[in-house]
Amino acid sequence: MNYFEPLTAFVDLTDGTIPEATAVQRRRLVDLKGLFADSQAETARLGENPLLYEVHEAAEIPKKDGHQLFSTTILRPGTVGDEYFMTKGHYHARSDRSELYYGLAGEGLLLMQTPEGRINAQPMRAGAACYVPPYWGHRSINTGLENLVFLAVYPADAGYDYGTIAEEGFAQIVVTGPEGPRLVPNPRYRGGGSRA
Ligand code: F6R
Ligand code: ZN
């Protein structure tokens, strides 16, 4: 038997980075172009093109059935128009693969959606262990004033389907309101039979 060797990755709990990460991905506003509901506000900020988040991948683990991958996400605070900074969001390419998010710092929401457009939002903060069941698309949203940081653990063969979210969006978005964050219908949503 060709055993894969056990390993440990250390997360810096002061900022969520993994100093010995094998890969770090950075996503700026341009990488989410077309996803924010207020396209004028989005265009206005594209020149500045702020960094929205980083993903630190813990280790080089085979992307094969049976293994698990894990990474931290560090999502900055801020808004585009009145919509909070968020991740692109995706379904898993192998859509029956689930995932666990574990909140490390900050405050936000884990927005999930079925392919039919049914929404479920779970609270994200230090200590929150949030379960993404099979088939649910998922996106994280920073509704706080500090970075939202979480660890994600997922089957190594889950993969990413970003195309469906790019085409259809989420049925709801999270915007600022006088009484705090609120979920409202996404005027750019094109899924769940809403297409003309
Ligand atoms: C992996 C997963 C997270 C996200 C990360 C960035 O399945 O859900 O590690 O990949 O939070 O979000 P996306 O991938 O939507 O840009
Ligand atoms: Zn995922």
Side-chain angles (χ1 to χ4, degrees):
M1 176 75 109
N2 197 5
Y3 292 108
F4 187 80
E5 291 301 307
L7 58 88
T8 299
F10 286 93
V11 178
D12 183 335
L13 290 176
T14 64
D15 60 9
T17 59
I18 298 178
E20 293 183 2
T22 51
V24 178
Q25 275 190 49
R26 293 189 172 82
R27 292 223 209 266
R28 296 185 169 274
L29 183 56
V30 70
D31 302 308
L32 278 77
K33 199 163 172 265
L35 293 181
F36 286 96
D38 182 342
S39 49
Q40 276 190 337
E42 188 183 271
T43 306
R45 293 204 64 186
L46 273 177
E48 164 210 350
N49 195 20
L51 175 69
L52 302 188
Y53 58 100
E54 289 179 11
V55 179
H56 289 235
E57 285 178 24
E60 264 170 26
I61 291 169
K63 291 191 171 57
K64 285 198 219 154
D65 183 20
H67 286 281
Q68 298 193 52
L69 303 180
F70 50 113
S71 59
T72 55
T73 300
I74 303 161
L75 175 59
R76 301 267 174 104
T79 53
V80 175
D82 60 0
E83 189 175 1
Y84 292 101
F85 281 5
M86 61 192 187
T87 57
K88 279 176 88 152
H90 58 269
Y91 292 92
H92 289 148
R94 296 195 67 160
S95 56
D96 63 347
R97 295 316 198 230
S98 59
E99 182 158 8
L100 186 85
Y101 279 19
Y102 186 68
L104 298 174
E107 228 175 298
L109 289 172
L110 171 54
L111 190 67
M112 289 175 275
Q113 155 169 302
T114 64
E116 294 78 23
R118 186 158 64 82
I119 289 283
N120 184 300
Q122 297 292 324
M124 292 264 279
R125 56 175 180 271
C130 305
Y131 180 53
V132 181
Y135 305 112
W136 288 77
H138 40 289
R139 161 180 286 165
S140 312
I141 294 155
N142 187 344
T143 59
L145 300 173
E146 311 291 335
N147 286 344
L148 174 67
V149 183
F150 58 90
L151 176 79
V153 184
Y154 45 103
D157 61 352
Y160 300 90
D161 165 14
Y162 290 111
T164 304
I165 299 300
E167 279 168 32
E168 302 182 354
F170 277 77
Q172 294 184 18
I173 57 174
V174 185
V175 297
T176 57
E179 275 144 48
R182 59 199 181 97
L183 283 154
V184 296
N186 180 1
R188 293 178 94 171
Y189 180 56
R190 305 275 296 151
S194 72
R195 265 175 284 207

